Amino acid sequence: MKVVVDKIPPEGIAFSEEHPPEWLTNIPEFSQPGDTYIQDRILLSGQVSREGQNLRLRGEVATRLHTFCTRCGDEVEWPLGGSFDLVLMPGKPRRPEEEVGLTPEEMDHLYFEGPEVELDQYFREEVALGIPIQTLCREDCRGLCPQCGVNWNRESCACAQSEGDPRLGILRKLKIKS
Ligand SMILES: [Zn+2]
Ligand SMILES: [Zn+2]
């Protein structure tokens, strides 16, 4: 979505868009079936407005990620997205190599160059920021047995009971004097 800064009316411009997974050009591997990919359209809605010299982008992004449980490896469909509220300041967009030595606050600053601004780059970044480090099939996923590999959500095994927690091995060998 492109906007001409000088033509944004005082009340702002509302937008509502749908994009195919290929739109996410900052993470090209997410648009191809693989371990982790976007399996639905990417919905974007919100409003762009002017605040003095700045541009403000508010809205929501939503899609679905196909991935695997971090603990047990089962397939997971993960709702991806959330709301965003960004302030863009006039200036040259920064390249990654220019970020060296910036304070965290400066790192947060976003820039735009007029008169016409392509907003998709900021929206794409919001999708990327929403990708979780950990995706669990359920909050209390019990994971796989590190010794025999059974999925503890579906089966139990004898390993845990016979071996105990390996981290406690040293403690068990200590003789405690009374
Ligand atoms: Zn799991
Ligand atoms: Zn086991």
Side-chain angles (χ1 to χ4, degrees):
M1 176 189 177
K2 276 185 185 168
V3 291
V4 177
V5 177
D6 286 342
K7 295 202 172 143
I8 299 173
E11 70 274 18
I13 300 172
F15 58 85
S16 177
E17 303 181 344
E18 273 188 48
H19 298 285
E22 298 79 52
W23 171 83
L24 203 61
T25 50
N26 53 337
I27 320 174
E29 62 273 26
F30 272 22
S31 58
Q32 296 148 12
D35 283 353
T36 297
Y37 58 92
I38 301 281
Q39 62 174 24
D40 210 342
R41 315 255 315 154
I42 300 162
L43 309 179
L44 270 170
S45 61
Q47 194 187 47
V48 52
S49 55
R50 291 178 73 174
E51 287 192 350
Q53 294 294 301
N54 298 336
L55 283 183
R56 188 159 180 195
L57 302 179
R58 276 173 290 185
E60 285 184 5
V61 59
T63 187
R64 298 185 74 78
L65 191 66
H66 173 278
T67 187
F68 293 91
C69 175
T70 319
R71 271 186 212 150
C72 74
D74 272 1
E75 286 192 328
V76 175
E77 265 189 38
W78 195 267
L80 184 60
S83 57
F84 55 85
D85 187 350
L86 307 174
V87 175
L88 316 181
M89 304 190 297
K92 263 204 173 315
R94 220 173 24 233
R95 294 193 303 269
E97 62 268 28
E98 294 168 334
E99 294 186 345
V100 180
L102 295 183
T103 64
E105 198 183 69
E106 288 167 331
M107 293 274 285
D108 276 346
H109 290 168
L110 298 167
Y111 298 94
F112 73 92
E113 269 186 306
E116 193 180 47
V117 187
E118 172 56 79
L119 299 177
D120 282 8
Q121 53 181 318
Y122 305 100
F123 298 144
R124 287 190 183 103
E125 189 63 20
E126 285 307 301
V127 178
L129 287 170
I131 295 165
I133 297 164
Q134 209 183 38
T135 47
L136 298 179
C137 60
R138 53 184 219 218
E139 212 167 305
D140 63 345
C141 171
R142 303 173 72 194
L144 304 177
C145 172
Q147 288 156 59
C148 73
V150 307
N151 186 325
W152 279 338
N153 298 318
R154 293 191 280 266
E155 289 174 65
S156 54
C157 61
C159 309
Q161 288 88 326
S162 61
E163 301 281 332
D165 186 337
R167 289 168 299 181
L168 298 177
I170 292 169
L171 292 176
R172 275 201 297 270
K173 284 178 197 142
L174 291 175
K175 292 233 162 61
I176 296 164
K177 286 175 188 160
S178 52

